[in-house]
């Protein structure tokens, strides 16, 4: 971790911990055996008041990405059951936390189907101290206060719920940080939650410091294609608010199309003719390597300036059972190093990725992750 990021983290942590100290959300939580348990009264991400005994010793994580947050907080040892996605040992596994922990997660009891489709009877049988229920707000795979209330009523188990959030804008970032803090408070990992938030803020600040003064006229024109979203997609799949482009001050040619994942017309890509093409390498799961095959065989796409000049690069997929934020951050450094090499001259993107993976999920998994996609992550893709 470089000194710049370390200093930013220390500053953010100090402010955050002082804020937490002034906002007591429990009535006497203490560490120790169950015989010394105390009652916590917690306000969750939806403003619900949830009461439960602490210390919490067993939890379930329902919904897309909720278990990922628990791993970020180093609370995975509390998991006493899993949803159906954790039972699968798929050939291509795009979730870094699962690469690290799936061999033992798959052996835990099943409490329901993935995407928050819980089985109340199975929850009751497992008898956790607490259920965390998360998901992306405003999507088909999100969660709500009403769903949390229903599960709590059916099982008699306290349910703490929150929106998953994102790093695309301030409102969704606030949702994300709220989720981390609520989960951290519930399991006694307040300090780790603040450390994670500080790390994210420091990383974004580092990238901003490197690229924030680039005039608009000098920002590279870029496009990201083949973006994974509930599966692999081709070249027309993109993100107008692709966070790595925002952070490195690149000119995303699709930026006028909102913030959510979209499919664009192939003709629009040709008309935009970006200087650089980045490909989410999750696309290779499609026939003929998806977006990569399209660039090699479609006459119109072969004529793109980026394809002809060899400026086509692979980034790792991060939409896999919701957003893998560690991969978002890692991708940003690679994108920055490609577009503005003089400003990232001190960064080895692969080593930086493994530093980030180690912080979030406990192990450096870049090579394992990229290897599942033919080693195309952080590489120049020949067209």
């Amino acid at each position: 971790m470089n000194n710049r990021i370390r200093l930013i983290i220390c500053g953010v942590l100090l402010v955050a911990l002082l804020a937490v100290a002034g906002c007591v959300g429990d009535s006497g939580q203490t560490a120790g055996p169950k015989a010394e348990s105390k009652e916590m009264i917690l306000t969750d991400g939806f403003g619900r008041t949830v009461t439960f005994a602490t210390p919490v010793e067993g939890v379930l994580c329902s919904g897309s990405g909720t278990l990922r947050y628990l791993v970020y907080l180093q609370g995975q040892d509390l998991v006493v059951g899993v949803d159906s996605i954790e039972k699968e040992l798929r050939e291509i596994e795009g979730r870094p936390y699962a690469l690290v922990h799936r061999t033992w997660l798959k052996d835990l009891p099943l409490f329901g189907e993935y995407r928050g489709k819980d089985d109340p009877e199975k929850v009751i049988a497992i008898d956790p101290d607490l259920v965390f229920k998360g998901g992306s707000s405003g999507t088909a795979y999100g969660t709500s206060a009403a769903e949390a209330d229903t599960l709590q009523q059916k099982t008699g188990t306290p349910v703490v719920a929150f929106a998953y959030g994102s790093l695309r804008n301030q409102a969704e970032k606030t949702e994300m940080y709220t989720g981390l803090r609520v989960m951290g408070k519930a399991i006694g990992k307040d300090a780790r939650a603040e450390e994670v938030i500080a790390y994210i803020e420091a990383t974004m600040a580092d990238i901003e410091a490197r690229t924030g003064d680039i005039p608009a006229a000098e920002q590279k024109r870029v496009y990201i294609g083949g973006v994974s979203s509930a599966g692999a997609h081709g070249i027309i799949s993109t993100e107008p608010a692709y966070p790595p482009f925002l952070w490195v001050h690149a000119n995303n040619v699709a930026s006028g199309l909102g913030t959510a994942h979209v499919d664009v017309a192939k003709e629009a890509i040709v008309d935009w003719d970006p200087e650089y093409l980045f490909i989410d390498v999750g696309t290779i799961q499609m026939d003929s390597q998806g977006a990569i095959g399209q660039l090699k065989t479609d006459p119109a796409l072969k004529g793109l300036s980026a394809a002809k000049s060899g400026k086509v690069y692979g980034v790792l997929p991060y939409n896999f059972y919701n957003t893998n934020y560690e991969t978002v951050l890692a991708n940003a450094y690679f994108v920055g190093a490609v577009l503005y090499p003089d400003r990232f001259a001190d960064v080895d993107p692969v080593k930086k990725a493994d530093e980030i993976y180690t912080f979030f999920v406990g192990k450096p998994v870049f090579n394992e992750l990229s290897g599942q996609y033919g080693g195309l992550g952080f590489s120049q893709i020949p067209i």
Side-chain angles (χ1 to χ4, degrees), residues 60-94:
L60 301 179
C61 291
S62 167
S64 304
T66 309
L67 180 53
R68 178 181 297 113
Y69 276 14
L70 193 71
V71 173
Y72 287 176
L73 297 182
Q74 299 174 342
Q76 61 272 6
D77 290 347
L78 297 175
V79 179
V80 292
V82 294
D83 67 15
S84 58
I85 201 169
E86 309 299 348
K87 292 284 189 179
E88 303 171 12
L89 288 180
R90 58 181 60 80
E91 182 178 352
I92 294 181
E93 176 53 77

PDB file of all heavy atoms in Angstrom, residues 60-94:
ATOM      1  N   LEU A  60     -27.018 -15.754   8.568  1.00  0.00           N
ATOM      2  CA  LEU A  60     -27.285 -16.100   7.181  1.00  0.00           C
ATOM      3  C   LEU A  60     -27.224 -14.810   6.368  1.00  0.00           C
ATOM      4  O   LEU A  60     -27.604 -13.751   6.859  1.00  0.00           O
ATOM      5  CB  LEU A  60     -28.664 -16.746   7.020  1.00  0.00           C
ATOM      6  CG  LEU A  60     -28.931 -18.021   7.813  1.00  0.00           C
ATOM      7  CD1 LEU A  60     -30.357 -18.515   7.544  1.00  0.00           C
ATOM      8  CD2 LEU A  60     -27.924 -19.105   7.470  1.00  0.00           C
ATOM      9  N   CYS A  61     -26.758 -14.919   5.126  1.00  0.00           N
ATOM     10  CA  CYS A  61     -26.668 -13.754   4.243  1.00  0.00           C
ATOM     11  C   CYS A  61     -27.538 -14.003   3.024  1.00  0.00           C
ATOM     12  O   CYS A  61     -27.201 -14.825   2.167  1.00  0.00           O
ATOM     13  CB  CYS A  61     -25.222 -13.505   3.826  1.00  0.00           C
ATOM     14  SG  CYS A  61     -24.159 -12.940   5.170  1.00  0.00           S
ATOM     15  N   SER A  62     -28.663 -13.307   2.952  1.00  0.00           N
ATOM     16  CA  SER A  62     -29.636 -13.489   1.888  1.00  0.00           C
ATOM     17  C   SER A  62     -29.543 -12.364   0.868  1.00  0.00           C
ATOM     18  O   SER A  62     -29.442 -11.193   1.230  1.00  0.00           O
ATOM     19  CB  SER A  62     -31.046 -13.524   2.487  1.00  0.00           C
ATOM     20  OG  SER A  62     -32.037 -13.402   1.491  1.00  0.00           O
ATOM     21  N   GLY A  63     -29.589 -12.730  -0.398  1.00  0.00           N
ATOM     22  CA  GLY A  63     -29.610 -11.725  -1.446  1.00  0.00           C
ATOM     23  C   GLY A  63     -28.274 -11.555  -2.138  1.00  0.00           C
ATOM     24  O   GLY A  63     -27.210 -11.890  -1.622  1.00  0.00           O
ATOM     25  N   SER A  64     -28.322 -10.981  -3.333  1.00  0.00           N
ATOM     26  CA  SER A  64     -27.129 -10.835  -4.168  1.00  0.00           C
ATOM     27  C   SER A  64     -26.068  -9.987  -3.492  1.00  0.00           C
ATOM     28  O   SER A  64     -26.285  -8.804  -3.218  1.00  0.00           O
ATOM     29  CB  SER A  64     -27.519 -10.180  -5.495  1.00  0.00           C
ATOM     30  OG  SER A  64     -28.526 -10.895  -6.164  1.00  0.00           O
ATOM     31  N   GLY A  65     -24.924 -10.573  -3.215  1.00  0.00           N
ATOM     32  CA  GLY A  65     -23.781  -9.836  -2.710  1.00  0.00           C
ATOM     33  C   GLY A  65     -23.693  -9.669  -1.214  1.00  0.00           C
ATOM     34  O   GLY A  65     -22.691  -9.155  -0.706  1.00  0.00           O
ATOM     35  N   THR A  66     -24.711 -10.106  -0.480  1.00  0.00           N
ATOM     36  CA  THR A  66     -24.701  -9.863   0.967  1.00  0.00           C
ATOM     37  C   THR A  66     -23.561 -10.602   1.662  1.00  0.00           C
ATOM     38  O   THR A  66     -22.900 -10.057   2.547  1.00  0.00           O
ATOM     39  CB  THR A  66     -26.054 -10.272   1.573  1.00  0.00           C
ATOM     40  OG1 THR A  66     -27.111  -9.649   0.832  1.00  0.00           O
ATOM     41  CG2 THR A  66     -26.155  -9.832   3.022  1.00  0.00           C
ATOM     42  N   LEU A  67     -23.304 -11.831   1.244  1.00  0.00           N
ATOM     43  CA  LEU A  67     -22.193 -12.583   1.834  1.00  0.00           C
ATOM     44  C   LEU A  67     -20.855 -11.944   1.484  1.00  0.00           C
ATOM     45  O   LEU A  67     -19.908 -11.981   2.272  1.00  0.00           O
ATOM     46  CB  LEU A  67     -22.240 -14.039   1.366  1.00  0.00           C
ATOM     47  CG  LEU A  67     -21.141 -14.968   1.880  1.00  0.00           C
ATOM     48  CD1 LEU A  67     -21.045 -14.937   3.402  1.00  0.00           C
ATOM     49  CD2 LEU A  67     -21.382 -16.400   1.391  1.00  0.00           C
ATOM     50  N   ARG A  68     -20.785 -11.326   0.330  1.00  0.00           N
ATOM     51  CA  ARG A  68     -19.554 -10.620  -0.048  1.00  0.00           C
ATOM     52  C   ARG A  68     -19.226  -9.539   0.981  1.00  0.00           C
ATOM     53  O   ARG A  68     -18.069  -9.395   1.393  1.00  0.00           O
ATOM     54  CB  ARG A  68     -19.723 -10.001  -1.435  1.00  0.00           C
ATOM     55  CG  ARG A  68     -18.517  -9.203  -1.916  1.00  0.00           C
ATOM     56  CD  ARG A  68     -18.753  -8.599  -3.298  1.00  0.00           C
ATOM     57  NE  ARG A  68     -18.938  -9.651  -4.287  1.00  0.00           N
ATOM     58  CZ  ARG A  68     -20.095  -9.889  -4.929  1.00  0.00           C
ATOM     59  NH1 ARG A  68     -21.159  -9.142  -4.672  1.00  0.00           N
ATOM     60  NH2 ARG A  68     -20.164 -10.852  -5.814  1.00  0.00           N
ATOM     61  N   TYR A  69     -20.238  -8.792   1.408  1.00  0.00           N
ATOM     62  CA  TYR A  69     -19.993  -7.753   2.402  1.00  0.00           C
ATOM     63  C   TYR A  69     -19.489  -8.358   3.708  1.00  0.00           C
ATOM     64  O   TYR A  69     -18.613  -7.783   4.368  1.00  0.00           O
ATOM     65  CB  TYR A  69     -21.285  -6.973   2.666  1.00  0.00           C
ATOM     66  CG  TYR A  69     -21.559  -5.848   1.680  1.00  0.00           C
ATOM     67  CD1 TYR A  69     -20.852  -5.753   0.489  1.00  0.00           C
ATOM     68  CD2 TYR A  69     -22.517  -4.881   1.943  1.00  0.00           C
ATOM     69  CE1 TYR A  69     -21.099  -4.741  -0.402  1.00  0.00           C
ATOM     70  CE2 TYR A  69     -22.771  -3.853   1.053  1.00  0.00           C
ATOM     71  CZ  TYR A  69     -22.064  -3.775  -0.117  1.00  0.00           C
ATOM     72  OH  TYR A  69     -22.305  -2.764  -1.004  1.00  0.00           O
ATOM     73  N   LEU A  70     -20.022  -9.499   4.082  1.00  0.00           N
ATOM     74  CA  LEU A  70     -19.574 -10.142   5.312  1.00  0.00           C
ATOM     75  C   LEU A  70     -18.104 -10.533   5.205  1.00  0.00           C
ATOM     76  O   LEU A  70     -17.340 -10.398   6.165  1.00  0.00           O
ATOM     77  CB  LEU A  70     -20.430 -11.369   5.619  1.00  0.00           C
ATOM     78  CG  LEU A  70     -20.268 -11.945   7.032  1.00  0.00           C
ATOM     79  CD1 LEU A  70     -20.887 -11.016   8.068  1.00  0.00           C
ATOM     80  CD2 LEU A  70     -20.895 -13.325   7.129  1.00  0.00           C
ATOM     81  N   VAL A  71     -17.681 -11.007   4.037  1.00  0.00           N
ATOM     82  CA  VAL A  71     -16.271 -11.339   3.825  1.00  0.00           C
ATOM     83  C   VAL A  71     -15.417 -10.079   3.890  1.00  0.00           C
ATOM     84  O   VAL A  71     -14.337 -10.076   4.501  1.00  0.00           O
ATOM     85  CB  VAL A  71     -16.077 -12.069   2.479  1.00  0.00           C
ATOM     86  CG1 VAL A  71     -14.586 -12.263   2.187  1.00  0.00           C
ATOM     87  CG2 VAL A  71     -16.781 -13.431   2.496  1.00  0.00           C
ATOM     88  N   TYR A  72     -15.876  -8.999   3.272  1.00  0.00           N
ATOM     89  CA  TYR A  72     -15.144  -7.735   3.360  1.00  0.00           C
ATOM     90  C   TYR A  72     -14.893  -7.356   4.821  1.00  0.00           C
ATOM     91  O   TYR A  72     -13.834  -6.825   5.164  1.00  0.00           O
ATOM     92  CB  TYR A  72     -15.932  -6.598   2.714  1.00  0.00           C
ATOM     93  CG  TYR A  72     -16.010  -6.590   1.211  1.00  0.00           C
ATOM     94  CD1 TYR A  72     -16.777  -5.622   0.556  1.00  0.00           C
ATOM     95  CD2 TYR A  72     -15.342  -7.517   0.416  1.00  0.00           C
ATOM     96  CE1 TYR A  72     -16.866  -5.576  -0.819  1.00  0.00           C
ATOM     97  CE2 TYR A  72     -15.434  -7.482  -0.961  1.00  0.00           C
ATOM     98  CZ  TYR A  72     -16.207  -6.501  -1.579  1.00  0.00           C
ATOM     99  OH  TYR A  72     -16.305  -6.466  -2.940  1.00  0.00           O
ATOM    100  N   LEU A  73     -15.881  -7.648   5.676  1.00  0.00           N
ATOM    101  CA  LEU A  73     -15.778  -7.286   7.089  1.00  0.00           C
ATOM    102  C   LEU A  73     -15.066  -8.351   7.917  1.00  0.00           C
ATOM    103  O   LEU A  73     -14.982  -8.238   9.139  1.00  0.00           O
ATOM    104  CB  LEU A  73     -17.171  -7.039   7.666  1.00  0.00           C
ATOM    105  CG  LEU A  73     -17.961  -5.883   7.050  1.00  0.00           C
ATOM    106  CD1 LEU A  73     -19.304  -5.711   7.751  1.00  0.00           C
ATOM    107  CD2 LEU A  73     -17.175  -4.583   7.097  1.00  0.00           C
ATOM    108  N   GLN A  74     -14.559  -9.387   7.239  1.00  0.00           N
ATOM    109  CA  GLN A  74     -13.837 -10.484   7.891  1.00  0.00           C
ATOM    110  C   GLN A  74     -14.727 -11.209   8.904  1.00  0.00           C
ATOM    111  O   GLN A  74     -14.270 -11.676   9.944  1.00  0.00           O
ATOM    112  CB  GLN A  74     -12.559  -9.944   8.559  1.00  0.00           C
ATOM    113  CG  GLN A  74     -11.605  -9.305   7.561  1.00  0.00           C
ATOM    114  CD  GLN A  74     -10.400  -8.625   8.188  1.00  0.00           C
ATOM    115  OE1 GLN A  74     -10.393  -8.318   9.379  1.00  0.00           O
ATOM    116  NE2 GLN A  74      -9.369  -8.386   7.392  1.00  0.00           N
ATOM    117  N   GLY A  75     -16.004 -11.331   8.555  1.00  0.00           N
ATOM    118  CA  GLY A  75     -16.961 -12.004   9.422  1.00  0.00           C
ATOM    119  C   GLY A  75     -17.457 -13.319   8.877  1.00  0.00           C
ATOM    120  O   GLY A  75     -18.465 -13.855   9.357  1.00  0.00           O
ATOM    121  N   GLN A  76     -16.758 -13.893   7.886  1.00  0.00           N
ATOM    122  CA  GLN A  76     -17.236 -15.112   7.237  1.00  0.00           C
ATOM    123  C   GLN A  76     -17.339 -16.309   8.184  1.00  0.00           C
ATOM    124  O   GLN A  76     -18.132 -17.229   7.949  1.00  0.00           O
ATOM    125  CB  GLN A  76     -16.345 -15.486   6.045  1.00  0.00           C
ATOM    126  CG  GLN A  76     -14.898 -15.772   6.375  1.00  0.00           C
ATOM    127  CD  GLN A  76     -14.020 -14.538   6.359  1.00  0.00           C
ATOM    128  OE1 GLN A  76     -14.507 -13.418   6.209  1.00  0.00           O
ATOM    129  NE2 GLN A  76     -12.716 -14.736   6.505  1.00  0.00           N
ATOM    130  N   ASP A  77     -16.603 -16.310   9.268  1.00  0.00           N
ATOM    131  CA  ASP A  77     -16.677 -17.421  10.218  1.00  0.00           C
ATOM    132  C   ASP A  77     -18.027 -17.492  10.938  1.00  0.00           C
ATOM    133  O   ASP A  77     -18.333 -18.508  11.577  1.00  0.00           O
ATOM    134  CB  ASP A  77     -15.559 -17.315  11.262  1.00  0.00           C
ATOM    135  CG  ASP A  77     -14.179 -17.591  10.670  1.00  0.00           C
ATOM    136  OD1 ASP A  77     -14.112 -18.089   9.538  1.00  0.00           O
ATOM    137  OD2 ASP A  77     -13.173 -17.290  11.345  1.00  0.00           O
ATOM    138  N   LEU A  78     -18.827 -16.441  10.806  1.00  0.00           N
ATOM    139  CA  LEU A  78     -20.147 -16.435  11.435  1.00  0.00           C
ATOM    140  C   LEU A  78     -21.207 -17.132  10.575  1.00  0.00           C
ATOM    141  O   LEU A  78     -22.305 -17.402  11.055  1.00  0.00           O
ATOM    142  CB  LEU A  78     -20.601 -14.994  11.696  1.00  0.00           C
ATOM    143  CG  LEU A  78     -19.752 -14.161  12.668  1.00  0.00           C
ATOM    144  CD1 LEU A  78     -20.277 -12.725  12.700  1.00  0.00           C
ATOM    145  CD2 LEU A  78     -19.786 -14.774  14.063  1.00  0.00           C
ATOM    146  N   VAL A  79     -20.896 -17.432   9.328  1.00  0.00           N
ATOM    147  CA  VAL A  79     -21.890 -17.989   8.411  1.00  0.00           C
ATOM    148  C   VAL A  79     -22.255 -19.411   8.819  1.00  0.00           C
ATOM    149  O   VAL A  79     -21.384 -20.272   8.994  1.00  0.00           O
ATOM    150  CB  VAL A  79     -21.357 -17.983   6.960  1.00  0.00           C
ATOM    151  CG1 VAL A  79     -22.391 -18.580   6.014  1.00  0.00           C
ATOM    152  CG2 VAL A  79     -21.008 -16.574   6.529  1.00  0.00           C
ATOM    153  N   VAL A  80     -23.559 -19.672   8.953  1.00  0.00           N
ATOM    154  CA  VAL A  80     -24.028 -21.004   9.357  1.00  0.00           C
ATOM    155  C   VAL A  80     -24.928 -21.637   8.304  1.00  0.00           C
ATOM    156  O   VAL A  80     -25.438 -22.739   8.494  1.00  0.00           O
ATOM    157  CB  VAL A  80     -24.758 -20.953  10.715  1.00  0.00           C
ATOM    158  CG1 VAL A  80     -23.788 -20.619  11.835  1.00  0.00           C
ATOM    159  CG2 VAL A  80     -25.914 -19.959  10.685  1.00  0.00           C
ATOM    160  N   GLY A  81     -25.107 -20.980   7.178  1.00  0.00           N
ATOM    161  CA  GLY A  81     -25.902 -21.525   6.083  1.00  0.00           C
ATOM    162  C   GLY A  81     -25.719 -20.648   4.861  1.00  0.00           C
ATOM    163  O   GLY A  81     -25.271 -19.499   4.962  1.00  0.00           O
ATOM    164  N   VAL A  82     -26.052 -21.199   3.677  1.00  0.00           N
ATOM    165  CA  VAL A  82     -25.833 -20.470   2.427  1.00  0.00           C
ATOM    166  C   VAL A  82     -27.027 -20.625   1.496  1.00  0.00           C
ATOM    167  O   VAL A  82     -27.842 -21.539   1.657  1.00  0.00           O
ATOM    168  CB  VAL A  82     -24.559 -20.956   1.704  1.00  0.00           C
ATOM    169  CG1 VAL A  82     -23.311 -20.634   2.509  1.00  0.00           C
ATOM    170  CG2 VAL A  82     -24.634 -22.458   1.401  1.00  0.00           C
ATOM    171  N   ASP A  83     -27.096 -19.730   0.497  1.00  0.00           N
ATOM    172  CA  ASP A  83     -28.109 -19.901  -0.531  1.00  0.00           C
ATOM    173  C   ASP A  83     -27.548 -20.787  -1.641  1.00  0.00           C
ATOM    174  O   ASP A  83     -26.389 -21.226  -1.599  1.00  0.00           O
ATOM    175  CB  ASP A  83     -28.616 -18.554  -1.048  1.00  0.00           C
ATOM    176  CG  ASP A  83     -27.570 -17.750  -1.816  1.00  0.00           C
ATOM    177  OD1 ASP A  83     -26.531 -18.315  -2.219  1.00  0.00           O
ATOM    178  OD2 ASP A  83     -27.792 -16.532  -2.010  1.00  0.00           O
ATOM    179  N   SER A  84     -28.368 -21.054  -2.644  1.00  0.00           N
ATOM    180  CA  SER A  84     -28.030 -22.084  -3.632  1.00  0.00           C
ATOM    181  C   SER A  84     -26.797 -21.768  -4.466  1.00  0.00           C
ATOM    182  O   SER A  84     -26.098 -22.672  -4.912  1.00  0.00           O
ATOM    183  CB  SER A  84     -29.225 -22.327  -4.558  1.00  0.00           C
ATOM    184  OG  SER A  84     -29.605 -21.127  -5.219  1.00  0.00           O
ATOM    185  N   ILE A  85     -26.490 -20.484  -4.675  1.00  0.00           N
ATOM    186  CA  ILE A  85     -25.349 -20.159  -5.530  1.00  0.00           C
ATOM    187  C   ILE A  85     -24.035 -20.589  -4.899  1.00  0.00           C
ATOM    188  O   ILE A  85     -23.070 -20.914  -5.602  1.00  0.00           O
ATOM    189  CB  ILE A  85     -25.325 -18.656  -5.877  1.00  0.00           C
ATOM    190  CG1 ILE A  85     -24.479 -18.433  -7.137  1.00  0.00           C
ATOM    191  CG2 ILE A  85     -24.819 -17.818  -4.722  1.00  0.00           C
ATOM    192  CD1 ILE A  85     -24.603 -17.035  -7.717  1.00  0.00           C
ATOM    193  N   GLU A  86     -23.979 -20.617  -3.570  1.00  0.00           N
ATOM    194  CA  GLU A  86     -22.746 -21.020  -2.894  1.00  0.00           C
ATOM    195  C   GLU A  86     -22.549 -22.528  -2.917  1.00  0.00           C
ATOM    196  O   GLU A  86     -21.470 -23.021  -2.558  1.00  0.00           O
ATOM    197  CB  GLU A  86     -22.745 -20.524  -1.443  1.00  0.00           C
ATOM    198  CG  GLU A  86     -23.060 -19.049  -1.260  1.00  0.00           C
ATOM    199  CD  GLU A  86     -22.074 -18.116  -1.936  1.00  0.00           C
ATOM    200  OE1 GLU A  86     -20.993 -18.579  -2.365  1.00  0.00           O
ATOM    201  OE2 GLU A  86     -22.397 -16.916  -2.043  1.00  0.00           O
ATOM    202  N   LYS A  87     -23.547 -23.263  -3.346  1.00  0.00           N
ATOM    203  CA  LYS A  87     -23.440 -24.718  -3.433  1.00  0.00           C
ATOM    204  C   LYS A  87     -22.836 -25.161  -4.762  1.00  0.00           C
ATOM    205  O   LYS A  87     -22.483 -26.332  -4.929  1.00  0.00           O
ATOM    206  CB  LYS A  87     -24.829 -25.349  -3.286  1.00  0.00           C
ATOM    207  CG  LYS A  87     -25.447 -25.202  -1.894  1.00  0.00           C
ATOM    208  CD  LYS A  87     -24.813 -26.169  -0.922  1.00  0.00           C
ATOM    209  CE  LYS A  87     -25.523 -26.216   0.398  1.00  0.00           C
ATOM    210  NZ  LYS A  87     -24.897 -27.183   1.335  1.00  0.00           N
ATOM    211  N   GLU A  88     -22.721 -24.235  -5.700  1.00  0.00           N
ATOM    212  CA  GLU A  88     -22.254 -24.579  -7.035  1.00  0.00           C
ATOM    213  C   GLU A  88     -20.745 -24.393  -7.141  1.00  0.00           C
ATOM    214  O   GLU A  88     -20.217 -23.364  -6.750  1.00  0.00           O
ATOM    215  CB  GLU A  88     -22.952 -23.688  -8.064  1.00  0.00           C
ATOM    216  CG  GLU A  88     -24.480 -23.771  -8.025  1.00  0.00           C
ATOM    217  CD  GLU A  88     -25.130 -22.727  -8.907  1.00  0.00           C
ATOM    218  OE1 GLU A  88     -24.415 -22.093  -9.712  1.00  0.00           O
ATOM    219  OE2 GLU A  88     -26.352 -22.537  -8.790  1.00  0.00           O
ATOM    220  N   LEU A  89     -20.077 -25.388  -7.680  1.00  0.00           N
ATOM    221  CA  LEU A  89     -18.648 -25.264  -7.965  1.00  0.00           C
ATOM    222  C   LEU A  89     -18.501 -25.158  -9.481  1.00  0.00           C
ATOM    223  O   LEU A  89     -18.179 -26.121 -10.171  1.00  0.00           O
ATOM    224  CB  LEU A  89     -17.877 -26.459  -7.419  1.00  0.00           C
ATOM    225  CG  LEU A  89     -17.722 -26.525  -5.897  1.00  0.00           C
ATOM    226  CD1 LEU A  89     -16.930 -27.763  -5.485  1.00  0.00           C
ATOM    227  CD2 LEU A  89     -17.041 -25.265  -5.358  1.00  0.00           C
ATOM    228  N   ARG A  90     -18.769 -23.972 -10.006  1.00  0.00           N
ATOM    229  CA  ARG A  90     -18.758 -23.762 -11.454  1.00  0.00           C
ATOM    230  C   ARG A  90     -17.333 -23.646 -11.976  1.00  0.00           C
ATOM    231  O   ARG A  90     -16.411 -23.259 -11.249  1.00  0.00           O
ATOM    232  CB  ARG A  90     -19.565 -22.512 -11.816  1.00  0.00           C
ATOM    233  CG  ARG A  90     -19.068 -21.268 -11.161  1.00  0.00           C
ATOM    234  CD  ARG A  90     -19.918 -20.058 -11.533  1.00  0.00           C
ATOM    235  NE  ARG A  90     -21.301 -20.227 -11.131  1.00  0.00           N
ATOM    236  CZ  ARG A  90     -21.735 -20.030  -9.895  1.00  0.00           C
ATOM    237  NH1 ARG A  90     -20.866 -19.702  -8.946  1.00  0.00           N
ATOM    238  NH2 ARG A  90     -22.987 -20.186  -9.576  1.00  0.00           N
ATOM    239  N   GLU A  91     -17.163 -23.963 -13.240  1.00  0.00           N
ATOM    240  CA  GLU A  91     -15.838 -23.910 -13.861  1.00  0.00           C
ATOM    241  C   GLU A  91     -15.296 -22.488 -13.886  1.00  0.00           C
ATOM    242  O   GLU A  91     -14.105 -22.247 -13.647  1.00  0.00           O
ATOM    243  CB  GLU A  91     -15.905 -24.472 -15.290  1.00  0.00           C
ATOM    244  CG  GLU A  91     -14.559 -24.511 -15.993  1.00  0.00           C
ATOM    245  CD  GLU A  91     -14.650 -25.108 -17.380  1.00  0.00           C
ATOM    246  OE1 GLU A  91     -15.720 -25.631 -17.740  1.00  0.00           O
ATOM    247  OE2 GLU A  91     -13.645 -25.044 -18.121  1.00  0.00           O
ATOM    248  N   ILE A  92     -16.178 -21.534 -14.201  1.00  0.00           N
ATOM    249  CA  ILE A  92     -15.777 -20.130 -14.196  1.00  0.00           C
ATOM    250  C   ILE A  92     -16.477 -19.451 -13.032  1.00  0.00           C
ATOM    251  O   ILE A  92     -17.701 -19.344 -12.997  1.00  0.00           O
ATOM    252  CB  ILE A  92     -16.136 -19.436 -15.524  1.00  0.00           C
ATOM    253  CG1 ILE A  92     -15.308 -20.031 -16.659  1.00  0.00           C
ATOM    254  CG2 ILE A  92     -15.902 -17.936 -15.425  1.00  0.00           C
ATOM    255  CD1 ILE A  92     -15.569 -19.395 -18.014  1.00  0.00           C
ATOM    256  N   GLU A  93     -15.692 -19.013 -12.083  1.00  0.00           N
ATOM    257  CA  GLU A  93     -16.206 -18.375 -10.873  1.00  0.00           C
ATOM    258  C   GLU A  93     -15.671 -16.943 -10.817  1.00  0.00           C
ATOM    259  O   GLU A  93     -14.473 -16.733 -10.623  1.00  0.00           O
ATOM    260  CB  GLU A  93     -15.771 -19.153  -9.630  1.00  0.00           C
ATOM    261  CG  GLU A  93     -16.176 -18.528  -8.307  1.00  0.00           C
ATOM    262  CD  GLU A  93     -17.655 -18.234  -8.239  1.00  0.00           C
ATOM    263  OE1 GLU A  93     -18.436 -19.188  -8.029  1.00  0.00           O
ATOM    264  OE2 GLU A  93     -18.024 -17.057  -8.400  1.00  0.00           O
ATOM    265  N   GLY A  94     -16.558 -15.987 -11.037  1.00  0.00           N
ATOM    266  CA  GLY A  94     -16.133 -14.597 -11.131  1.00  0.00           C
ATOM    267  C   GLY A  94     -16.173 -13.817  -9.835  1.00  0.00           C
ATOM    268  O   GLY A  94     -15.947 -12.609  -9.844  1.00  0.00           O
TER     269      GLY A  94
END
